[in-house]
Amino acid sequence: MDRQGQIINPAEDPQLPKEEVLNFYQTMTLLNTMDRILYESQRQGRISFYMTNYGEEGTHIGSAAALKPTDLVFGQYREAGVLLYRGFPLDRFMAQCYANADDLGKGRQMPVHYGSKEHNFVTISSPLATQIPQAAGAAYALKRENADHAVICYFGEGAASEGDAHAGFNFAATLECPIIFFCRNNGYAISTPTNEQYRGDGIAARGPGYGMMSIRVDGNDVFAVYNATKEARRRATAENQPFLIEAMTYRIGHHSTSDDSSAYRSVDEVNYWDKQDHPISRLRQHMVSRGWWDEEQERAWRKQSRRRVMEAFEQAERRLKPSLDLMFTDVYNELPPHLHRQRQDMWRHVKQHTEHYPLEQYDN
Amino acid sequence: MAAAVRFLLKSAACSKASNVTNGVHSGLGPASLRLSPKCDPHSRTQTRHAAHFTFQADPTPTEYGQTQKMNLFQSITSALDNTLSKDPTAVIFGEDVAFGGVFRCTVGLRDKYGQDRVFNTPLCEQGIVGFGIGIAVTGATAVAEIQFADYIYPAFDQIVNEAAKYRYRSGNLFDCGSLTIRAPWGCVGHGSLYHSQSPEAFFAHCPGVKIVIPRSPVQAKGLLLSCIEDKNPCIFFEPKILYRAAVEQVPVEPYHIPLSQAEVLQEGSDVTLVAWGTQVHVMREVANMAQEKLGVSCELIDLQTILPWDTDTVCKVRCSSILYLICVSEEGQFNIYFLFIKSFHIITWAASSSNTSI
C-alpha cells in the first residue's frame, strides 16, 4: 500500500478477506484506544508506568496475523498488539498494569510486562535483547519436536546493538533454527536516534554477515509486514533457517510515561509521521476505498471500543491486589525453608502492625 | 545457656601445582622441557610439584547397584550418558563439546546420541546460556557447558536477570527449570588468574538459581543428575583439579544425591569446619592434624549445595558452650565474607530461637 492505502503492486496484494482486514483495523484501533486510556491513567496516578505503541500498530498486527497461534513469541516491550491480536483479553492487560489479583504475572512486574502461556507469548522482561538468544534456543528445541512451530522474536533497533543480539543471530544461523527475527526500527531508542545507534545500513544489512536472509519492509504498511512475515515463516520452518525482517516505522509516542520526547525531537517531526504515514490511517483509507468502511462505522466503532476499554479499566481499578504470600512463591518451584521462614516473619510483623499495612486491599 | 559464636574465615589457596598431565590445557609443560638440549629435566626449576592435598575417596556405595572405576570427568560423562539415554528432549552444548570437551566430559556422547543432541556452539557464553534458557522454556532439558568458570561472566546477565527470575516474574507461566549450566571450577595449580576461579559467591545471593559443587566422582554424578532433574536452573561447578586425580567406584546406573542437604563427613565436638569441592579434602587433613597436634575435635561438613544452603545442618546449636565455625573456600576472603554475613544472621536467629544468647 502507498500512503493513501492504494495497492502499489497488485501481484503483492495478499488479498485477505474483508473480515480479516476489518479485524486488522479493529485490533489496531482498539490497541490505540487502550494506549490512550492507560497512558492517561498513569498521568492520573492510577498505574505506575506505561508504554504506548503509537505508530507501530502495523508491525504488531501485520506480523501476528502471518503466524500460527502455536508459534512462540518472544517480545521486547512494545508488541502489545501481537498479544491483542492473539486474543489476550483487555481485562488481563489491565490486570497486569494495575498489578491486581487477576494479573497472570501475580503482580510482580512493572506495567506492560505481559505474558500468556495460553497465547504462546513469553512474559516480557525489562533487560533488552536478552530474549534474542533465548528465542533461538526455543526454536532449536521446537525444531527437534518436528511439529511445524516457528518462533518470532521482536526487538527494537536499539536493542539490536546489544551483544545478546549478535549472539542470538549467530546461534540461530549456525544451529539452523526456524526463527523470524523481527526488528522494529522506529527511529529512536529513548532519546537516541538511529544515527547514534549504528553507522551501517540499519539492522537488515547485518543479516548476511551471519549467513542469514534478511528483508527490509515498510513497517507502516500492514499488508507488506504481513507478506514478509508470512513468507519468512513458511521458509523458516520448511528450511530450518532464520530470517531477519527490519520493519521501518516511527515511534509516535514518547518512550514511556517517564519520557518527554519534546526534549530531543521536534513536534513537527512527530506530527509529520502521525498525519502523513500512520499505519491505521493508511489501512482505513484502503478499506474506505474498497467500500468496506465509512464514517458512520468509524464513529460507532470508536464508541464501542472506548466503552470496552473503559469497562475493563474500571473493573481493574476495583479489583484487590494479589495475596502477600505471592511475594515468596515461584522463586523456586517449591518454597525453600529460608523463604518459608521469611514469609512467617513477614506475617508476624504485618499482623503486629496492622495500622501500617492496608491488608484489606489485598486478596489474602 | 550462654553460647559464644566466633567466626574464623580462612581462605586456602593452592600452594603447589599438580604434576599430573591434565590434558589439553597443560600441554605447554612437557613441551618447554624439550626446548633446549642443555636443559636438565630434573633440575628444581623444571620440576612441577605434587598437589598439596590428597584426594580421599569415599567407601564404594552399595545402594545404587553395580559400580565401575571412574575419575571425575568420567563420572560426569556417565551422568550425561544416563540423561541423554532416558530423556529424549535432553541436549548438551557449549564450546568444543562435540569432540569430547577440553576436559573430556562429553567423550563419545555425540557418536552415541547424534549431532542434534550433542553439539558445539559459537564461542559466546552469553549466547550459550541464553540459548539454553530458550531450550528450557519449551520444556526440553538443556545442559550448557561453560568452558571455564572464569568465563561465566558474559552470561551473568542471562543467569541473574533472566534464568533466576523467569518463573517468578512470569507468575509461573514460564520457567527455565530444565536448564543446568556446568563449568570447570577452582584451583588447578597452574591456572593463574583465568583458569582457577571460584565464582560461586557472585551467584550466591541470586534467588532463583541453585549452585552445587561436588567433592568427588560419586558425589558429582549424583548431584549433577539431581541438578538436571531439578525444576530450577542450576549451576554445577566441577573441581577441575579432581577431573583425573579423583578416582572412585561410581555406580553405572543413575542415582540422585539430594540438593540443599549438607553432608557431615565426620563428627566432632570442638570446631565445625565447612567446605566444598576440593577443599573438603584439605579439611580432612586439617581435621586429622588438629586432632593429633592440638587435641581439637573437628566436625567436617561438605556443604555441596551453596545456594540454597543447608542452614539447619550447619547451624545446629551444640551443647558445648563455645562454638567455632571455620569456613574454607578457594574464593577470595572478601567474597565469602558476604556469604557468611548472611549466615551470621541465620545463626543468631537459630541461637535466639533456642533461647541461647550471643
Side-chain angles (χ1 to χ4, degrees), chain B residues 278-323:
Chain B
T278 315
Q279 293 302 309
V280 171
H281 305 287
V282 177
M283 286 297 102
R284 273 183 161 135
E285 291 178 39
V286 166
N288 289 339
M289 286 167 69
Q291 182 67 70
E292 282 168 26
K293 302 195 175 173
L294 304 171
V296 169
S297 162
C298 296
E299 176 182 55
L300 176 58
I301 298 178
D302 177 3
L303 197 60
Q304 295 179 351
T305 301
I306 309 305
L307 178 74
W309 61 284
D310 184 358
T311 55
D312 288 341
T313 299
V314 175
C315 302
K316 229 169 39 199
V317 176
R318 281 149 190 90
C319 293
S320 66
S321 59
I322 296 184
L323 174 68

Side-chain angles (χ1 to χ4, degrees), chain A residues 106 108-109 117 121-123 125 130 133-134 137-138 140-141 144 163-164 167 171 327 329-333 341, chain B residues 88 116-117 119 124 126-128 130-131 134-135 138 157-158 162 166 168-171 173-174 208-209 232 311 349:
Chain A
K106 300 180 186 170
R108 293 157 177 167
Q109 291 215 80
K117 181 92 181 160
F121 189 97
V122 179
T123 304
S125 71
T130 48
Q134 293 172 20
Y140 187 89
R144 290 198 70 240
D164 271 347
F171 274 57
M327 284 198 287
T329 55
D330 303 326
V331 177
Y332 295 96
N333 68 320
R341 282 194 285 265
Chain B
D116 61 320
R117 298 188 71 189
F119 54 92
C124 178
Q126 67 194 102
I128 290 168
F131 187 84
I135 292 176
T138 69
D157 187 37
Q158 287 284 351
E162 296 288 315
Y166 230 87
Y168 187 81
R169 73 188 187 201
S170 70
L173 293 178
F174 298 95
V209 293
N232 301 287
T311 55
W349 165 85

Side-chain angles (χ1 to χ4, degrees), chain A residues 110-125:
Chain A
M110 287 170 70
V112 310
H113 289 64
Y114 310 115
S116 172
K117 181 92 181 160
E118 184 191 336
H119 300 95
N120 297 304
F121 189 97
V122 179
T123 304
I124 300 299
S125 71

Side-chain angles (χ1 to χ4, degrees), chain B residues 76-216:
Chain B
I76 301 294
T77 315
S78 178
L80 297 176
D81 195 340
N82 292 155
T83 299
L84 291 167
S85 173
K86 66 179 177 52
D87 179 352
T89 73
V91 292
I92 300 173
F93 52 93
E95 294 152 25
D96 303 298
V97 303
F99 89 104
V102 293
F103 288 108
R104 302 173 66 175
C105 293
T106 51
V107 168
L109 297 179
R110 184 176 170 95
D111 287 341
K112 193 168 173 184
Y113 294 103
Q115 61 186 27
D116 61 320
R117 298 188 71 189
V118 181
F119 54 92
N120 292 337
T121 64
L123 210 167
C124 178
E125 287 76 13
Q126 67 194 102
I128 290 168
V129 174
F131 187 84
I133 291 171
I135 292 176
V137 166
T138 69
T141 298
V143 182
E145 178 175 303
I146 299 293
Q147 196 154 88
F148 283 86
D150 313 56
Y151 309 139
I152 202 165
Y153 308 111
F156 198 81
D157 187 37
Q158 287 284 351
I159 294 169
V160 169
N161 269 335
E162 296 288 315
K165 296 170 171 59
Y166 230 87
R167 189 189 294 277
Y168 187 81
R169 73 188 187 201
S170 70
N172 201 24
L173 293 178
F174 298 95
D175 69 84
C176 59
S178 55
L179 171 67
T180 302
I181 301 165
R182 300 174 34 245
W185 168 101
C187 253
V188 70
H190 60 285
S192 196
L193 288 80
Y194 301 111
H195 297 79
S196 310
Q197 288 180 37
S198 305
E200 62 274 20
F202 291 110
F203 302 97
H205 39 198
C206 175
V209 293
K210 296 194 176 184
I211 308 170
V212 177
I213 306 177
R215 69 171 183 273
S216 72

